[in-house]
Structures are given as structure tokens and as C-alpha cells.
Amino acid sequence: MDDMGIVRLFWQRDESAIAETECKYGSFCLGVAMSLLSDGEDARECVNEALYQAWSRIPPQRPEKLRPWLGRVVRNIAVSLWRKNHRQKRYNGLEQALSELEDCVPAAVDLQQDVEGAELGEAISRWLAALGKEDRILFVRRYWYDIPLGELANEIGVPPKKLAQRMYRLRQNLKSFLEKEDRPYENCGQLRSV
């Protein structure tokens, strides 16, 4: 069944929408959650919560493309769970990807920084839109979905070191773009161990 058919089932409040969604996108959602949490039980909990949120949010929302919409929902749930568990020192799954970006993007602490964070998000979106399709996909999959570098390298058929260099160049490009946008961040793009 295509995405619009599934969304139509949600709008009709037909419970088979959940089964169709899980059948079509369950493994994708589980992969997103697993890459962030590294715990199968927690990842399955995130997928179940995402399905519940899909039931709760559709309607009124009507996503045209269900896969990215579900990916965002699952990722947000997984990040929230990771933060909760990280406070309890149980996980270390996101630390590698976040540490690669920490020098580029400062953490928001107050209202002014929250506003600057929103502006920074818009600037990064503009930067992403200017990238080629493959670089944009790689950057988002690495730093939004937290797909391990080795897995990405295997998918595109290059050695991990070569992809690490490419990701380093992308971070350097992001740093340069942010500096031109009058958002200089020290040490952006510093290559971390992979």
C-alpha cells in the first residue's frame, strides 16, 4: 500500500493503518531507533510509541511522505529516551556523532541562545539545501539519524577512512558557511576518531 493509502486509513480511523504502517516502515523505524539507542527493547518501545503518535497526530496532520515523517517522530522519541537514559549513564550511542558536531554547534542555554539556535538551524538548512544530493543524504543520515560511519561506508561502497575524510570536508564546509553567515564556531570540523 502506498503512503497516501495508509494516511487515508488513518484519516478514516481504520486501525489497519497501524498494521500497514508497521508492515511497510517497521524495520526502518527500528533501524533509526537502534542506531541511537543500541538496545533492542528500548528501540521497539520507540517504534511502538511512534505508531501511537502516528495514530494520535494523523489527523490533523497529513504527511505526504510517511517514511521521513515517521523517521523524524522515531528519532525524536529515541533522542528523548537516550537523554533520559544518558542522565542515568546507561548509554553512549549518540556520543560519537554528537562529539563530531559539538565544535560546530554550541548548546543552547538561555532564551537568547534558543533564538540563536533557531537561526542556526535555518542556516544549516540553507547549507544542506545547497549541497549535492548524495552529500546532503550522507550528512543527514550521519548526524540526524546517527547511522554509524562504517555502515554508511558499506552502503555507498567506499572505505570508512575515505568516508571519514569526506565527512570532515563537509564539516569544514559547514564551518566556512557558518562563518560567512556571521556565526563563527571555533574548531568546527575537527576530525574525531571513528
Side-chain angles (χ1 to χ4, degrees):
M1 179 175 283
D2 69 350
D3 287 359
M4 294 315 295
I6 295 172
V7 170
R8 223 178 350 268
L9 290 175
F10 277 110
W11 273 78
Q12 295 167 353
R13 305 315 288 162
D14 185 336
E15 291 181 11
S16 65
I18 293 178
E20 291 288 340
T21 303
E22 187 170 21
C23 180
K24 187 168 182 180
Y25 294 117
S27 60
F28 163 72
C29 292
L30 188 62
V32 170
M34 281 295 292
S35 72
L36 296 167
L37 299 173
S38 304
D39 180 306
E41 188 175 319
D42 284 348
R44 283 187 292 281
E45 181 183 322
C46 289
V47 173
N48 288 336
E49 176 64 22
L51 292 171
Y52 171 76
Q53 285 192 23
W55 182 258
S56 300
R57 293 180 183 182
I58 306 172
Q61 294 181 15
R62 189 183 288 269
E64 289 182 29
K65 295 186 179 182
L66 206 50
R67 180 183 166 109
W69 187 88
L70 284 168
R72 186 183 72 233
V73 170
V74 169
R75 182 189 182 283
N76 289 342
I77 293 167
V79 167
S80 293
L81 184 58
W82 179 85
R83 286 180 179 148
K84 175 184 164 204
N85 290 332
H86 188 69
R87 281 191 293 264
Q88 299 168 2
K89 307 260 187 241
R90 286 176 54 195
Y91 283 97
N92 131 29
L94 277 177
E95 288 187 32
Q96 176 66 38
L98 293 178
S99 69
E100 290 174 6
L101 288 175
E102 72 185 358
D103 295 327
C104 297
V105 183
V109 176
D110 60 22
L111 182 59
Q112 179 181 355
Q113 286 183 333
D114 285 345
V115 170
E116 290 172 359
E119 292 172 357
L120 176 63
E122 291 172 10
I124 291 173
S125 291
R126 285 192 304 277
W127 175 76
L128 281 169
L131 288 179
K133 182 178 179 179
E134 189 173 313
D135 283 339
R136 182 174 53 248
I137 290 170
L138 283 172
F139 192 87
V140 169
R141 292 196 70 215
R142 175 71 181 122
Y143 297 114
W144 178 261
Y145 291 114
D146 190 39
I147 305 297
L149 194 64
E151 186 178 325
L152 286 174
N154 285 339
E155 286 178 13
I156 64 171
V158 299
K161 284 193 175 208
K162 185 172 182 177
L163 182 59
Q165 292 170 346
R166 185 174 181 179
M167 299 309 289
Y168 173 76
R169 286 191 300 275
L170 282 171
R171 290 192 309 271
Q172 291 291 40
N173 184 300
L174 174 59
K175 176 186 177 185
S176 175
F177 178 84
L178 292 174
E179 286 172 345
K180 288 176 186 170
E181 291 273 319
D182 196 27
R183 298 182 193 300
Y185 298 107
E186 295 298 317
N187 302 320
C188 181
Q190 191 174 57
L191 184 60
R192 309 276 180 171
S193 61
V194 279

